[in-house]
Amino acid sequence: MKRIIYFVLAILVCGIYVGCSENEIDLYDQTPRINFYGSTTHVRTLVDTDYVKKEPYAVDSFEVRIQGDFLKENRDFCVKVTPNNDYQNSVDVLLESKYTYTDLDTVCQIFYYKINRPKVEAGRNVYGCYLEFDLNNPLHQFDKGLVEKNQIVLNVRWELKPTEWSDYVGFGSYSDAKYMFIMDVCQRVWDDLEDEDIDVIKQAYREYKEAGNPPILGEEGDEIEYEQD
């Protein structure tokens, strides 16, 4: 009886060993694969310093992770933008034609792309899309990794209002449209404005209207004003 028990145990041990060996082969002995790393939703909040620049693009980044062992050589991958029906408008994204994974001593690397700043208007959470690995691109040299890590949601919004804004320092009540006009005139953000800029901005707005331009409206639909002191 004991011999039978020992024999059965030996078979079980061998089966477990073979199963583990096969799992190791399945896990590590496969073609190179790549995944997005981190949260599946990436929120990029643009601030005043993103909008005061003449360059219309803001730089952003994503991180990828190699599935399995380290790469033995540099390898290219491609990313594309696909629509996300949860958002009214897509994001204008400038991606590289291909990215090259070069950090061969690690399984994670950060890459950069550009976002065309959305026009500042009512409704802050309406810009979004997916960033997705372009598996059908002939320049893409990785097989598909985890399904849930093959794409990420990109949500772009803005938050321009300076925390120090006061209604009683010559600029009146706050609105994004008013602040955008200030930055357009002065080419500076709130922290860099000088006292004399108040009169410069008021004069610029008078000249703007005298030139036949329509009034600039705030979030409530009323015309912006700079007359409170």
Side-chain angles (χ1 to χ4, degrees):
M1 186 67 180
K2 289 184 178 180
R3 290 182 179 179
I4 295 175
I5 294 174
Y6 290 149
F7 180 72
V8 172
L9 288 175
I11 292 175
L12 289 175
V13 170
C14 290
I16 293 172
Y17 176 79
V18 171
C20 290
S21 298
E22 290 178 351
N23 286 338
E24 288 177 1
I25 293 173
D26 290 340
L27 182 61
Y28 297 111
D29 187 16
Q30 57 183 314
T31 57
R33 300 170 188 268
I34 195 169
N35 299 297
F36 284 107
Y37 185 59
S39 173
T40 56
T41 298
H42 176 63
V43 177
R44 173 60 191 270
T45 303
L46 301 175
V47 296
D48 53 4
T49 52
D50 292 307
Y51 278 91
V52 74
K53 302 172 184 176
K54 294 182 179 180
E55 165 64 48
Y57 289 96
V59 176
D60 201 32
S61 65
F62 58 82
E63 189 171 8
V64 301
R65 182 182 179 90
I66 301 301
Q67 184 174 324
D69 288 333
F70 297 149
L71 294 179
K72 294 180 173 57
E73 59 184 5
N74 294 346
R75 191 174 286 266
D76 298 331
F77 68 92
C78 301
V79 177
K80 64 180 179 179
V81 174
T82 56
N84 185 333
N85 294 329
D86 291 337
Y87 298 92
Q88 297 176 23
N89 301 302
S90 184
V91 182
D92 184 5
V93 177
L94 183 62
L95 295 161
E96 300 293 338
S97 59
K98 67 175 181 179
Y99 295 91
T100 304
Y101 196 100
T102 58
D103 289 353
L104 304 183
D105 59 346
T106 182
V107 294
C108 292
Q109 186 173 346
I110 295 175
F111 297 89
Y112 297 91
Y113 62 100
K114 292 182 179 180
I115 298 169
N116 193 356
R117 302 168 310 192
K119 181 180 178 181
V120 175
E121 55 189 11
R124 299 187 175 182
N125 302 320
V126 296
Y127 291 90
C129 64
Y130 289 111
L131 296 183
E132 182 177 320
F133 291 117
D134 192 356
L135 303 176
N136 295 323
N137 192 315
L139 300 178
H140 189 81
Q141 298 179 325
F142 289 87
D143 283 340
K144 188 174 183 178
L146 300 173
V147 173
E148 64 274 18
K149 294 292 186 178
N150 189 59
Q151 65 178 16
I152 55 174
V153 176
L154 173 61
N155 171 224
V156 178
R157 59 185 71 182
W158 56 87
E159 195 66 52
L160 302 182
K161 184 178 181 179
T163 55
E164 302 85 0
W165 185 286
S166 171
D167 293 353
Y168 304 101
V169 293
F171 293 110
S173 59
Y174 177 83
S175 74
D176 284 341
K178 177 184 288 187
Y179 190 31
M180 286 293 295
F181 183 79
I182 291 172
M183 290 192 288
D184 288 342
V185 170
C186 298
Q187 290 297 299
R188 293 195 295 277
V189 296
W190 175 267
D191 289 341
D192 299 327
L193 292 177
E194 306 289 344
D195 291 340
E196 54 268 25
D197 287 331
I198 297 175
D199 292 331
V200 171
I201 293 164
K202 290 179 179 179
Q203 179 61 31
Y205 188 59
R206 283 192 290 268
E207 293 175 357
Y208 167 86
K209 292 178 62 177
E210 290 170 358
N213 294 300
I216 298 175
L217 305 180
E219 280 83 351
E220 303 300 324
D222 53 335
E223 182 179 357
I224 64 172
E225 49 77 31
Y226 296 101
E227 298 305 320
Q228 295 186 24
D229 292 304

